[in-house]
Amino acid sequence: MPPFDVPEGDPFGPHNLPYGVFSIPGERERTVGVRLGDHVLDAGAAARALGSPYADLLARPTLNPLLAAGRTAWSDVRRALTAWVTVPAHRETLAPLLRPLSSVTLHLPFEVADYVDFYASENHARNVGRIFRPDAADSLTPNWKHLPIGYHGRAGTVVVSGTDVIRPSGQRRSPADPAPVFGPSVRLDIEAEVGFVVGTPSEPGRPVPLRDWREHVFGLCLLNDWSARDIQAWEYVPLGPFLGKSFATSVAAWITPLDALEDARTAPPERTHPLLPYLDDTDTEPSGYDLRISVAVNGHVVSEPPFSTMYWTAAQQLAHLTVNGASLRTGDLYGSGTVSGPAERERGSLLELTWNGRDPLELPDGKRTFLEDGDVVTLSAWAPGPDGTRVGLGEVTGRVIPA
Amino acid sequence: MPPFDVPEGDPFGPHNLPYGVFSIPGERERTVGVRLGDHVLDAGAAARALGSPYADLLARPTLNPLLAAGRTAWSDVRRALTAWVTVPAHRETLAPLLRPLSSVTLHLPFEVADYVDFYASENHARNVGRIFRPDAADSLTPNWKHLPIGYHGRAGTVVVSGTDVIRPSGQRRSPADPAPVFGPSVRLDIEAEVGFVVGTPSEPGRPVPLRDWREHVFGLCLLNDWSARDIQAWEYVPLGPFLGKSFATSVAAWITPLDALEDARTAPPERTHPLLPYLDDTDTEPSGYDLRISVAVNGHVVSEPPFSTMYWTAAQQLAHLTVNGASLRTGDLYGSGTVSGPAERERGSLLELTWNGRDPLELPDGKRTFLEDGDVVTLSAWAPGPDGTRVGLGEVTGRVIPA
């Protein structure tokens, strides 16, 4: 009777238990599901069947009520779920509530409140600086080592993995153009990122200190912040990226709770500049994560960015985001920024992998500088789990369709 | 029996009828209200009392259902309301449903989906350019005349008029500082703007052409996009404003429907550069608005920015916002950007009014470069209405309180 007996080594075993929202056409409206191997457990129905008090948080069409319930509830629910899927006495009750992943439709797992995107990889920021400002004395802007640079993106165009991405059109102007031209982007790119999902809100005027970030952040997911480099290059001075990013941001269908990633916590890289007290994480618990990301185009792996190399942590990003008194809402999402490691094959964007198109990638189906119509981009990742296991992150995938 | 007989010349007479959301402590939960003079009509209760089919759109704690109903419904509801408040037979029924403004609490009138801020005043953009890049050949960036520059702001910190604004803290670094310093902003500023409220959503990949903007935009309101100039100056390269803006954006409690502003429509300034077809409004109906804004600090008027001088219109902003395929949601809000006219007393920010602090304003209570704790900023405005009337916009006011 699968899938309680998930194969040894499955990255979605009972040590993981990420949350999503699924439906079954014609049979089941949207409701919270928990992934176990290649099955989904109807979590609300399971809670009801077992008389659990968490049914009210789980028998919902979105994760938001669970997100809003706060860290104690998150831990309690996770403990309960772990018991349900591991205690043999529950098998008969729960077996009918486990559905093969292939039979369900997965949805955006939570209602996104505000979406913020950071720029936290030093390797990425230096690569971008070298590409666009080759003559600058320093490839980083003067503020980069003092604060985690971020900006707001479009929450309404965050889509779930599997959603097609329509190639955006817009204005672009290369140095040779006498005036801007309009048309489909010719430099459509990937940004391989990790997104953090806020559960517990905060009050205006009350910054979240570094040590409290886990009280607010429920979990994380892979995120592809699709970027039209040509649109972005023309529009972004002086107020930052807008249409070059706002057409789509893809997130995984599965949110991995931070509690599943205890064994993946790691110290961030050594800080090369002294930090202001609200960002100084010298004496805090490590809030970096050892996530091994893989970026594939049409099934061919082009890069393996290591999240452990990120200079700024999710804790620092949350402390910065709120230090001016800005409040948090349940469902706020913030992206890490493109994850790029120091090696060439660790870069999280085609901009970097092809050095702005100069060095095309050789794929089995031809050369690539930027994405072509029909290309399918898939991000996947795993993290070290307890006892040598791997914790899988839900993949985020999307196909580029013509403008 | 006031207030049906609103005094002649009242800018909130039956020709106006803006929408808001009010409650009466201990008596009435949040519900949609319509302003008439210095009273509020409980619109949902009125609809029920008169057997109107619009009760379902109006007896709600937010404007979102009305916003989502679309232009035909907007016009129908407005026609019905106009009849209710002008036909004498309804007076007896409606009198108990009119409450003095002074007796109600006003709330954020709609749930903000995404918030975008533009930069559409040529005078403002040129002033900013002259202040920060005095040696540049052109005070505008090369893209300015080709597209309405915009960026996403924080929807979760949009607050209703009357909400106190806590002075934000953050990093700043003046040229003389060897390293960034942290503390309350010392350059807290006003940005006098007009916000546009989206009702009808749009599909991904389907841009909204210029001619369709009124199908999507329900109405407008005054908006103060509070800005911490010192935080913004240090953080904004290369990804734009973030914490310098995200602590608070104040909007009026009253949303004026576009239908109330037919007599205020005006052609925008002559275009000095040819525009790409999706932005070319040469042969479209005028989508500029003649709104006469007033900016007061502690009751003292410091500026009167004329909205009619805005180079980019709300129609162009919506066409641009969606041209990359980004979809709209009910409750999306976009700000015009700071409104500044050509004259010194027409500038919509203290940055411009004091020329970045060089020329302090003389107020009755002392000099001002930027805002001090305790200062109350109030934006108000009117527009030409039918038959020589004035259409008042709801004011937006806020007091600065210490960090």
Side-chain angles (χ1 to χ4, degrees):
Chain A
M1 190 194 293
F4 291 104
D5 303 309
V6 177
E8 181 90 7
D10 191 304
F12 293 96
H15 61 298
N16 188 342
L17 302 180
Y19 296 86
V21 168
F22 74 100
S23 66
I24 303 175
E27 184 186 334
R28 189 85 183 81
E29 297 285 306
R30 292 183 192 209
T31 193
V32 170
V34 171
R35 181 165 172 182
L36 186 64
D38 53 5
H39 282 65
V40 185
L41 175 68
D42 183 332
R48 290 226 166 100
L50 297 171
S52 158
Y54 305 121
D56 279 354
L57 292 178
L58 297 172
R60 296 296 195 102
T62 160
L63 289 179
N64 288 59
L66 175 62
L67 297 179
R71 172 139 300 283
T72 302
W74 304 337
S75 298
D76 291 348
V77 170
R78 181 171 164 81
R79 249 191 313 273
L81 281 163
T82 305
W84 301 348
V85 302
T86 52
V87 175
H90 296 321
R91 291 196 174 193
E92 201 171 332
T93 308
L94 297 186
L97 305 177
L98 274 161
R99 303 301 190 111
L101 260 178
S102 57
S103 70
V104 308
T105 304
L106 296 171
H107 302 278
L108 189 63
F110 63 103
E111 292 160 20
V112 182
D114 270 300
Y115 167 48
V116 165
D117 197 31
F118 284 94
Y119 188 54
S121 159
E122 180 171 355
N123 296 296
H124 172 67
R126 287 201 182 277
N127 286 337
V128 170
R130 288 186 190 113
I131 290 169
F132 291 119
R133 299 183 306 273
D135 302 326
D138 188 346
S139 54
L140 296 179
T141 53
N143 53 5
W144 203 94
K145 286 283 177 106
H146 296 282
L147 52 82
I149 293 173
Y151 67 102
H152 283 88
R154 190 162 185 80
T157 51
V158 175
V159 297
V160 71
S161 175
T163 306
D164 286 341
V165 172
I166 305 167
R167 181 180 295 274
S169 292
Q171 295 192 25
R172 60 178 187 271
R173 185 179 187 171
S174 66
D177 292 327
V181 296
F182 182 86
S185 169
V186 296
R187 300 171 91 79
L188 182 60
D189 201 357
I190 302 158
E191 291 202 335
E193 306 195 14
V194 174
F196 292 83
V197 181
V198 171
T200 309
S202 72
E203 293 297 313
R206 301 292 293 262
V208 176
L210 285 175
R211 66 178 177 278
D212 287 353
W213 84 283
R214 289 165 58 90
E215 297 301 312
H216 293 274
V217 173
F218 170 80
L220 56 76
C221 61
L222 288 168
L223 182 153
N224 184 353
D225 194 34
W226 307 87
S227 298
R229 301 296 180 194
D230 40 2
I231 296 174
Q232 184 182 348
W234 171 233
E235 74 179 355
Y236 89 107
V237 174
L239 300 182
F242 182 36
L243 301 190
K245 304 275 192 172
S246 65
F247 54 98
T249 303
S250 298
V251 294
W254 300 105
I255 309 301
T256 305
L258 295 187
D259 282 344
L261 295 164
E262 278 300 292
D263 292 274
R265 292 172 74 173
T266 179
E270 201 180 343
R271 279 67 178 80
T272 54
H273 286 55
L275 293 175
L276 284 163
Y278 79 96
L279 291 173
D280 186 349
D281 58 358
T282 314
D283 295 322
T284 63
E285 293 198 316
S287 59
Y289 283 90
D290 179 9
L291 312 175
R292 323 283 176 94
I293 303 171
S294 216
V295 182
V297 178
N298 302 331
H300 182 79
V301 174
V302 298
S303 174
E304 294 181 309
F307 191 74
S308 60
T309 61
M310 300 299 274
Y311 192 84
W312 297 103
T313 68
Q316 290 172 315
Q317 289 167 342
L318 198 71
H320 186 63
L321 199 163
T322 58
V323 77
N324 68 342
S327 50
L328 300 173
R329 290 183 294 172
T330 297
D332 280 349
L333 169 69
Y334 61 101
S336 60
T338 307
V339 184
S340 291
E344 287 196 15
R345 281 269 304 186
E346 294 179 340
R347 295 167 177 169
S349 69
L350 293 174
L351 174 71
E352 295 161 90
L353 286 165
T354 72
W355 213 252
N356 201 20
R358 188 193 68 189
D359 308 326
L361 290 180
E362 302 283 352
L363 299 193
D365 57 348
K367 289 189 179 185
R368 284 294 179 293
T369 49
F370 291 92
L371 293 169
E372 299 186 358
D373 290 342
D375 280 349
V376 175
V377 177
T378 304
L379 311 183
S380 52
W382 62 272
D387 306 318
T389 57
R390 290 183 172 193
V391 177
L393 302 195
E395 68 172 20
V396 55
T397 187
R399 179 188 301 273
V400 177
I401 64 173
Chain B
M1 191 192 296
F4 291 104
D5 304 309
V6 178
E8 181 90 9
D10 191 305
F12 293 96
H15 61 299
N16 188 342
L17 302 180
Y19 296 86
V21 168
F22 75 99
S23 66
I24 303 175
E27 184 186 334
R28 190 82 184 83
E29 298 285 306
R30 292 184 191 207
T31 193
V32 170
V34 170
R35 181 164 171 184
L36 187 63
D38 53 6
H39 282 64
V40 185
L41 175 68
D42 183 332
R48 290 225 166 101
L50 297 171
S52 159
Y54 304 122
D56 279 354
L57 292 178
L58 297 171
R60 297 295 194 101
T62 161
L63 289 179
N64 289 57
L66 176 62
L67 296 179
R71 172 139 301 281
T72 303
W74 305 336
S75 299
D76 291 348
V77 170
R78 181 170 165 79
R79 249 191 314 273
L81 281 163
T82 304
W84 301 348
V85 302
T86 53
V87 174
H90 297 322
R91 292 197 174 191
E92 202 171 330
T93 309
L94 297 186
L97 305 178
L98 275 159
R99 303 301 190 112
L101 261 177
S102 57
S103 70
V104 308
T105 303
L106 296 171
H107 302 277
L108 189 64
F110 63 102
E111 292 159 19
V112 182
D114 270 300
Y115 167 48
V116 165
D117 198 30
F118 284 95
Y119 188 54
S121 160
E122 179 171 356
N123 296 296
H124 172 67
R126 286 201 183 278
N127 286 336
V128 169
R130 288 187 189 112
I131 290 169
F132 291 117
R133 300 183 305 274
D135 301 325
D138 189 347
S139 54
L140 296 179
T141 52
N143 53 6
W144 202 94
K145 285 283 177 104
H146 296 283
L147 52 80
I149 293 173
Y151 67 102
H152 283 89
R154 191 162 184 81
T157 51
V158 174
V159 297
V160 71
S161 175
T163 307
D164 286 340
V165 172
I166 304 167
R167 181 180 296 274
S169 291
Q171 296 193 23
R172 60 177 186 271
R173 183 178 190 174
S174 66
D177 292 327
V181 296
F182 182 86
S185 169
V186 295
R187 300 171 92 80
L188 182 60
D189 201 357
I190 303 158
E191 290 202 334
E193 305 195 13
V194 174
F196 292 84
V197 180
V198 171
T200 309
S202 72
E203 293 298 314
R206 303 292 294 259
V208 176
L210 285 175
R211 64 178 180 279
D212 287 352
W213 84 283
R214 288 164 60 88
E215 298 300 313
H216 293 274
V217 173
F218 171 81
L220 56 77
C221 62
L222 289 169
L223 182 153
N224 184 353
D225 194 35
W226 307 87
S227 298
R229 301 296 180 195
D230 41 2
I231 296 173
Q232 184 182 348
W234 169 234
E235 75 179 354
Y236 89 108
V237 174
L239 299 183
F242 182 37
L243 301 190
K245 304 276 192 173
S246 66
F247 54 98
T249 303
S250 298
V251 294
W254 300 104
I255 309 301
T256 304
L258 294 187
D259 283 343
L261 295 165
E262 277 300 292
D263 292 274
R265 292 172 73 173
T266 181
E270 200 180 342
R271 278 69 176 78
T272 55
H273 286 56
L275 292 174
L276 285 162
Y278 79 96
L279 291 173
D280 186 349
D281 58 358
T282 314
D283 295 322
T284 63
E285 293 198 317
S287 58
Y289 283 91
D290 179 10
L291 312 174
R292 323 285 176 93
I293 304 171
S294 215
V295 181
V297 177
N298 302 331
H300 181 80
V301 174
V302 298
S303 174
E304 294 181 307
F307 191 74
S308 60
T309 61
M310 300 299 274
Y311 191 85
W312 297 104
T313 68
Q316 291 173 315
Q317 289 166 343
L318 198 71
H320 186 62
L321 199 162
T322 58
V323 77
N324 68 342
S327 50
L328 300 173
R329 291 183 295 171
T330 296
D332 280 349
L333 169 69
Y334 62 100
S336 61
T338 307
V339 184
S340 290
E344 287 196 14
R345 281 269 303 185
E346 294 178 340
R347 294 168 177 168
S349 68
L350 293 174
L351 174 71
E352 295 162 90
L353 287 164
T354 72
W355 213 251
N356 201 20
R358 186 193 69 189
D359 309 325
L361 290 180
E362 301 282 352
L363 300 192
D365 58 346
K367 289 189 179 185
R368 283 294 178 294
T369 50
F370 290 91
L371 294 169
E372 299 186 359
D373 289 342
D375 280 350
V376 175
V377 176
T378 304
L379 311 182
S380 52
W382 63 271
D387 306 320
T389 57
R390 290 183 174 193
V391 177
L393 302 195
E395 69 173 20
V396 54
T397 187
R399 179 187 301 272
V400 177
I401 64 174

